[in-house]
Amino acid sequence: SSGINAEYGGFQILVSLFGGLGIPGGGFAGWITAFKTMEENKALGALGILVSMAWCANCLIAVYLIMQIHKTYRSTGQSMEKASGEFAASAGSNRNVAQAVLRSL
């Protein structure tokens, strides 16, 4: 499950970076769209800059949290092999998981 969390965290960071950039037509109000909007409407451009700062803060917080999670995970002596083994053992002994697998066959 830690691999899933790391993948989600990486995806969150990429979305935050994309949102912070604000590529025109991308659906995000980021730095590029904020400065382009500033030429036409100062108030709306200022709001775009605030949104861009929020996206960047979100990205930095996500990076920090992923680093903290990784540090905590490593300090417990865990490994991906142990996590995979624990998952296989718990999923194999879980009656609901076993029934779901049988129904899917």
Side-chain angles (χ1 to χ4, degrees):
S1 71
S2 64
I4 293 171
N5 290 336
E7 290 168 7
Y8 171 75
F11 181 73
Q12 176 68 31
I13 292 167
L14 288 176
V15 169
S16 297
L17 282 173
F18 189 71
L21 281 176
I23 298 169
F28 294 100
W31 293 109
I32 297 170
T33 55
F35 286 119
K36 283 189 175 188
T37 304
M38 186 72 82
E39 297 169 359
E40 298 173 19
N41 186 334
K42 300 281 187 213
L44 196 56
L47 181 62
I49 289 173
L50 289 175
V51 171
S52 302
M53 291 187 325
W55 276 114
C56 291
N58 185 31
C59 182
L60 291 174
I61 291 168
V63 168
Y64 173 76
L65 289 175
I66 289 291
M67 288 171 53
Q68 290 299 104
I69 290 168
H70 182 70
K71 185 172 91 174
T72 302
Y73 179 74
R74 290 293 175 204
S75 70
T76 61
Q78 296 295 321
S79 68
M80 287 305 291
E81 291 77 26
K82 287 182 184 178
S84 296
E86 289 175 12
F87 175 75
S90 66
S93 64
N94 188 325
R95 187 184 66 177
N96 293 330
V97 172
Q99 288 175 352
V101 169
L102 289 175
R103 276 187 256 137
S104 69
L105 296 175

